[in-house]
Structures are given as structure tokens and as C-alpha cells.
Amino acid sequence: QVKLVESGGGSVQAGGSLRLSCGASGNAVESRCMGWFRQAPGKEREGVATIYTNSGNIYYADSVKGRFTISRDSVKNTLYLQMNSLKPEDTAIYYCAAGAYGRGLELDEPYWGQGTQVTVSS
């Protein structure tokens, strides 16, 4: 069992920055693969960035490459998403997820956080 709690969402103007945080607690094996996902109104949830503890591999969606950075503090057991040069199309609910297995931007049957709203105005 893994519990995830996100924070750091909010409203910002285009070009601005936000940093999301996700505190994880519970089974370490089941949280060795972690990532950020988002869902915009009327759209399906999509992978934004993932990080794999064992391999150190990191993956980004093409739409956020060069603007977003995912990182993990293993001591604090916290996942971060630094979002720079935000665009209105980044507006969505952002979810933290953790799982034991995954590949690329997909996690297998992950645990989910409650989500945090990010709104970018033009």
C-alpha cells in the first residue's frame, strides 16, 4: 500500500513557473516507479513525466520536454515536478502516481494521489 499526497498547484500566467510536490508513504517496492500525469477537461489522462528508481531512467512527454523537470528526494520520499515556461495548454489536474513496475510513461496499476489543479492563463 502506498499513500500519495500532492501539493503545489495553483494559478499562474503564461511563461510562469510552478513546482509540484508529492509526498509518498508506505511500501517502498510499490513506489519504486513514480510519475506525474495530468488530465485536462474533456481529455484523457496522459503521462507527463516518470522516474524509475532502480534504473535512474527518466521519461518526458514531448509536449513538456525542455520545460518540465521531474526529480525525487529519496530521503524525504518526495517526488517533484518543476514546471517552467508554462502554457495555457498545460492547464489540467495533475496527479502523482507510484507503482512497482512500468515502462516509459506508463505505470502498471499504480497508486494515485488526489490530484492538484494547475491553471495557466494567457
Side-chain angles (χ1 to χ4, degrees):
Q1 189 79 11
V2 176
K3 183 178 180 181
L4 304 169
V5 180
E6 300 107 332
S7 61
S11 297
V12 66
Q13 289 192 326
S17 298
L18 284 173
R19 188 175 82 155
L20 306 182
S21 299
C22 174
S25 59
N27 190 314
V29 172
E30 292 184 300
S31 61
R32 61 189 179 190
C33 311
M34 296 191 73
W36 291 97
F37 297 75
R38 68 185 182 186
Q39 187 167 20
K43 295 187 177 181
E44 293 187 354
R45 186 157 52 190
E46 62 174 355
V48 175
T50 52
I51 184 167
Y52 292 82
T53 301
N54 287 357
S55 65
N57 288 342
I58 291 175
Y59 300 89
Y60 293 100
D62 289 342
S63 58
V64 307
K65 281 181 182 176
R67 300 188 298 121
F68 290 11
T69 302
I70 188 172
S71 61
R72 181 173 184 174
D73 185 328
S74 296
V75 174
K76 296 181 179 179
N77 216 11
T78 301
L79 183 72
Y80 301 98
L81 185 68
Q82 178 65 44
M83 305 185 293
N84 298 328
S85 302
L86 282 160
K87 304 176 181 180
E89 50 263 44
D90 294 319
T91 295
I93 299 175
Y94 284 71
Y95 298 90
C96 174
Y101 302 98
R103 66 205 61 80
L105 288 173
E106 296 182 2
L107 301 184
D108 295 343
E109 299 183 345
Y111 294 93
W112 295 97
Q114 81 284 0
T116 185
Q117 177 70 46
V118 171
T119 302
V120 184
S121 58
S122 57

